[in-house]
Amino acid sequence: MATENGTENPTENATVLPARRSAWPGWVAAAAALAYAAPHFWWGAGVSAMFPGDFAMAPDGNLEAAIGYWFMGALAVFGAVLALALVRPWGRRFPALLIAVPSGLAAIGMILWGFMYFAMQYMLAVGRVVSSPAFAAKDAHPQAAWGLFWYGLFLVWGITLGIAAWQRLRARRDGA
């Protein structure tokens, strides 16, 4: 259809395409998961780098190391694969609800976990709460500052995983 000046309006005849999902939330969530997994593996191997506290005081029994380091590292690697399944074409082989719902629930848990850490740090900083004697030395250790990084990582991981899960559910609803 011609406009007043006699030219065609290209947007009038254009086919409306569905909005393409953005893959960045899944990639960021996967990167955060791997950033969480890597130190768990090296902590399990006895390397203390980036440990949020006094590594010498960390439980070092076989069961504690297997669960706290190796299992949590492997679980995070699985989380990275799950995050990528939300945004990569090969992930469409799985029912959307099977991967988006657990991802969404995990995202809520990680966001709450990270947020509560920062809320508690704020309460400690303003003097509204005081660390118990059992945790005072641990909280005062210079390595405890790594907690800010690790719990910030939980927030990034949780938020981006939640976005990716939400996008996957919306794509399912929209028939994509």
Side-chain angles (χ1 to χ4, degrees):
M1 175 175 235
T3 59
E4 287 180 22
N5 63 5
T7 60
E8 285 281 323
N9 186 353
T11 59
E12 204 168 307
N13 297 328
T15 304
V16 177
L17 298 174
R20 185 175 179 272
R21 291 184 304 141
S22 178
W24 72 266
W27 285 101
V28 172
L34 294 175
Y36 178 80
H40 281 78
F41 293 134
W42 73 60
W43 294 336
V47 177
S48 65
M50 299 171 68
F51 190 78
D54 188 0
F55 191 70
M57 300 298 291
D60 60 355
N62 290 338
L63 183 61
E64 292 92 348
I67 293 171
Y69 303 132
W70 300 104
F71 177 75
M72 293 306 290
L75 190 62
V77 170
F78 174 75
V81 172
L82 191 63
L84 291 176
L86 291 167
V87 297
R88 300 297 300 152
W90 54 264
R92 292 190 192 123
R93 295 180 188 152
F94 303 102
L97 290 176
L98 183 66
I99 59 175
V101 170
S103 296
L105 293 173
I108 291 168
M110 287 187 281
I111 292 167
L112 289 174
W113 187 253
F115 176 75
M116 292 309 295
Y117 174 82
F118 285 104
M120 181 56 72
Q121 290 303 311
Y122 171 76
M123 297 297 269
L124 285 167
V126 298
R128 298 290 295 172
V129 296
V130 178
S131 275
S132 69
F135 291 103
K138 181 181 171 185
D139 292 340
H141 193 280
Q143 287 289 103
W146 278 108
L148 299 171
F149 173 78
W150 296 121
Y151 286 93
L153 188 67
F154 271 109
L155 286 173
V156 170
W157 185 5
I159 291 167
T160 55
L161 185 63
I163 293 169
W166 179 256
Q167 286 180 342
R168 178 66 189 266
L169 288 174
R170 287 197 56 196
R172 175 185 172 269
R173 185 192 69 192
D174 296 341

